[in-house]
Amino acid sequence: MREGDATLFTDVFLKELIRDNHPEALPALQHWASHLRVPSPFWRDAVSWHLLGSEGCAAHLSAPPPILDGHQGTDADAWRC
């Protein structure tokens, strides 16, 4: 396995964290819910990871974590809607 290949399993790890429903997983879920990293050409994976992070956060938080706090522009505004 080369560096960067771990992203092939990110969705599997996130789904397991959601399935386990343990509050200790919240920092990892918040990370993926609040960040949107788009590794070209796998942008669908980045969106999936964000949605899974948001789903996991919903089990432990009353409101979703903020997304893209440090980013500005129309694309960041669209994701915040």
Side-chain angles (χ1 to χ4, degrees):
M1 184 177 284
R2 296 176 312 220
E3 182 179 350
D5 287 345
T7 59
L8 296 172
F9 304 104
T10 301
D11 59 336
V12 174
F13 295 140
L14 288 170
K15 288 175 184 177
E16 284 298 311
L17 291 175
I18 292 169
R19 187 180 63 80
D20 289 343
N21 197 28
H22 201 281
E24 287 182 358
L26 190 55
L29 296 167
Q30 286 177 309
H31 170 80
W32 288 106
S34 63
H35 291 84
L36 189 60
R37 294 194 178 123
V38 183
S40 184
F42 305 107
W43 61 270
R44 287 183 181 96
D45 290 336
V47 172
S48 175
W49 301 333
H50 166 70
L51 294 175
L52 287 168
S54 296
E55 179 183 340
C57 285
H60 303 285
L61 301 173
S62 60
I67 183 171
L68 301 172
D69 279 340
H71 293 72
Q72 301 301 321
T74 55
D75 59 338
D77 292 339
W79 277 99
R80 287 187 194 106
C81 288

